[in-house]
Amino acid sequence: MPAWTPPRESTWTSGLIRVFAGSFLRPNAHGSCPYKGALKARTGIRLAQGPLPAYKADPREGFNLGPLGETLDLIEYEHAEPEEALRRALAATRERPRADPGLASWTRSALERYLENSTPGLRPIPYSWVLVTRLKKTDGRGARRYEQCVWGRPYASADGRVRELRVPVARALSGPGREAAEHIGHAERADLAAAAQVVAFGEPHRLPNRFHWSDAAQPVRDIGEAAWREPEEVRITEVSCLDGERREVLAEGPEDVARRYAAHGLPKLTAAVSAGVFLPGHDCEDCKYAPSCPALPRLGGLLAIEERNRPRRTWSITNGRSYAGRPDRDESCPARERLRRLRLPDPEARALTPHVVRGHAVHTWIQQRHEAHPGVACRPDDAPDGRTSWSAGRWTVPPEQADLGARMVAAHARHCPYGLSTVSELVHERTLVVHDTAADVVVLAKTDTLYLDGTSWVYRETKTDARSDPPPETDLLRERPQLALAVLLSTSPVLGEDVSATRVELEVLGPHGARLTVIDPFDTEIRASARRVVRSLASDWHADTTAIARPGPHCKTCEMSVWCRPGLPDPTKG
């Protein structure tokens, strides 16, 4: 395994590598940056000061289970009553403002669900299990001490024979397609193997606070012999904070845990702490290396905002539309964007309407066809049979949408990029990432399709429209702001060196055919319009520090309304 290479102009003061073994290896739907993980594991890394601060903390809570964890600490370790614990966990302190009303509402519900049906015979443990490896001399990674920890809530029997790690999750554990998908590969999951190893063989320690994170964890000696004995059984249990369901995902003895770790956990953990691959994306938001990262393109002025004092955050057109709403509709709601950013759950799946599911299925069917037959133009008869329900990837089109969706897939054949003899490469769902250094915002643009026509990339957005005769769009960039951002990005180096023939396309698939609109990103008026559209979606969001809810008719369709509490002056109440 090659040694990890630290960033240039950095110092490492502690020689300590600390990882939260399970969460460090847990798959992330948004994609994790391997290099950031390796960088975070080295607790004493000090980066040289660059043109922008390495990190600007956002005082607002960014983790949807953060207040829940603090509340449970007060209940389980300080024996506070639940109402008192909630009040203290959600209240303002010198370091943070009080919790958003929506986050407070979610935390109250999550606490009730978590406390339901607790496992009898186990008690909460007010320390962390830490597996420490000390080296006689510095190894090839520059480390002298390794600490493996686990994220979750520790419990144990009074005699120490049983240890259980409960992992709260902000989602349902069951549901259509979810249960089967999550059970696949449990035996080979590296995150479970690594977490179980710590639970089985770790010893009681107190981790340092965040102000002294490069200090070593300290063993806890005064808690009785049972806490130090090796358990006979190790359990890892997921707990849904949405509906209270509990699922035991691992229950083994130490010998089986050790074998699982050697086969699946150790190889992945070894690779992870040595990772040297950059993957710009959502992880850039709180990465101290972001201002200097060689894989993160810079494009100052993209959002037309000159303000570097706000915390570094990610932003996309989706964020902008969540905040500002649709054009000419009084549906702006800062709280909606904030609660979606926190990834609060959508218990009723209100965001996944039948037409949204149909749209995803159409995109996925076309993507799978392109990937299975690269270079081969799609034909109308490649579409699914619309006489019955059909599926693409994880999306299943309901019967009432099946024929319409199939006709939309068939319509794509008219403008399939592979119909052009000059197209040599095509990719779907690639996220373009660029750091706007003037606003200190990491901008994300998830593309529907990028294809290489000759030596220049073409940026295509594909939309579905169920209307038989849709009216013409009078202000295309304003009505479809993804195209405005595409215009600004398509002539930048983020799409490669040769942009001489780049263009932006809108493909609209309907029940009676498809239409293709080509946009010239070099046109002066188009670029000016694109800048106005993007700035209008980003400027108020960028300056906002409160994210106050604005109730209105749009609340009827907003999936966050189940948590939103716009009328409450105090989020700790009800």
Side-chain angles (χ1 to χ4, degrees), residues 193 196-197 200-201 250-264:
Q197 180 78 356
F201 301 106
L250 183 143
E252 293 181 340
E255 291 184 357
D256 290 331
V257 167
R259 282 193 289 268
R260 179 195 292 266
Y261 177 69
H264 305 293

Side-chain angles (χ1 to χ4, degrees), residues 369-370 373-382 412-421 426:
R369 174 69 190 178
H370 288 164
H373 305 281
V376 179
C378 296
R379 300 169 301 174
D381 56 4
D382 292 328
H412 164 74
R414 180 180 179 185
H415 300 296
C416 178
Y418 281 136
L420 301 174
S421 61
L426 185 153

Side-chain angles (χ1 to χ4, degrees), residues 108-385:
R108 177 178 292 276
S109 174
L111 176 65
E112 293 173 355
R113 301 291 81 77
Y114 183 88
L115 294 177
E116 291 174 351
N117 306 316
S118 295
T119 307
L122 300 182
R123 59 185 184 182
I125 303 300
Y127 53 75
S128 298
W129 290 309
V130 180
L131 184 57
V132 178
T133 303
R134 301 175 185 83
L135 305 180
K136 292 182 179 180
K137 60 180 181 178
T138 302
D139 67 5
R141 298 188 190 92
R144 296 185 300 275
R145 177 186 175 101
Y146 288 82
E147 293 181 1
Q148 294 171 238
C149 317
V150 283
W151 185 87
R153 303 201 62 80
Y155 298 82
S157 58
D159 59 7
R161 294 178 185 273
V162 177
R163 290 183 181 181
E164 178 176 276
L165 181 72
R166 295 180 196 164
V167 183
V169 296
R171 54 174 169 78
L173 299 177
S174 302
R178 182 187 296 275
E179 188 167 348
E182 291 192 353
H183 276 299
I184 294 174
H186 263 195
E188 291 79 30
R189 274 179 53 181
D191 61 318
L192 288 180
Q197 180 78 356
V198 177
V199 177
F201 301 106
E203 296 177 339
H205 282 74
R206 287 192 176 88
L207 292 171
N209 64 42
R210 63 189 181 91
F211 299 106
H212 301 88
W213 195 240
S214 60
D215 294 348
Q218 297 300 311
V220 182
R221 301 292 183 186
D222 56 346
I223 53 172
E225 183 178 343
W228 284 83
R229 69 170 294 169
E230 182 178 298
E232 297 174 8
E233 183 179 3
V234 170
R235 304 174 189 164
I236 298 180
T237 303
E238 291 182 338
V239 181
S240 169
C241 295
L242 184 60
D243 58 21
E245 181 183 354
R246 294 167 183 262
R247 175 182 295 164
E248 189 177 87
V249 294
L250 183 143
E252 293 181 340
E255 291 184 357
D256 290 331
V257 167
R259 282 193 289 268
R260 179 195 292 266
Y261 177 69
H264 305 293
L266 181 59
K268 290 291 182 65
L269 200 58
T270 300
V273 296
S274 299
V277 176
F278 300 95
L279 185 61
H282 286 274
D283 267 358
C284 299
E285 183 170 61
D286 61 351
C287 179
K288 296 180 181 180
Y289 194 39
S292 305
C293 177
L296 180 59
R298 272 85 187 167
L299 191 59
L302 178 61
L303 302 181
I305 297 170
E306 294 284 342
E307 168 58 81
R308 296 180 173 183
N309 294 323
R310 299 284 290 123
R312 184 175 302 120
R313 293 167 289 170
T314 58
W315 183 88
S316 68
I317 292 295
T318 300
N319 295 123
R321 290 290 285 267
S322 291
Y323 187 98
R326 291 168 292 179
D328 301 323
R329 304 193 189 199
D330 184 21
E331 59 181 22
S332 170
C333 184
R336 174 177 54 204
E337 193 277 337
R338 165 74 173 147
L339 299 183
R340 285 175 175 172
R341 183 177 289 269
L342 283 167
R343 299 194 184 104
L344 298 193
D346 177 8
E348 300 174 3
R350 295 178 70 178
L352 294 178
T353 62
H355 79 270
V356 169
V357 171
R358 182 202 67 222
H360 284 300
V362 169
H363 278 256
T364 303
W365 185 283
I366 294 171
Q367 176 179 346
Q368 291 177 337
R369 174 69 190 178
H370 288 164
E371 292 173 347
H373 305 281
V376 179
C378 296
R379 300 169 301 174
D381 56 4
D382 292 328
D385 183 351

Side-chain angles (χ1 to χ4, degrees), residues 52 56 284 290-291 296-315 433-444 485 488-489 531 534-535 538 541-542:
L52 289 170
K56 294 180 291 184
C284 299
L296 180 59
R298 272 85 187 167
L299 191 59
L302 178 61
L303 302 181
I305 297 170
E306 294 284 342
E307 168 58 81
R308 296 180 173 183
N309 294 323
R310 299 284 290 123
R312 184 175 302 120
R313 293 167 289 170
T314 58
W315 183 88
V433 185
V434 62
H435 184 195
D436 181 346
T437 52
D440 202 6
V441 171
V442 177
V443 179
L444 309 176
L485 184 58
L488 300 180
L489 290 176
R531 289 192 181 281
V534 171
R535 190 182 191 285
W541 164 83
H542 190 270

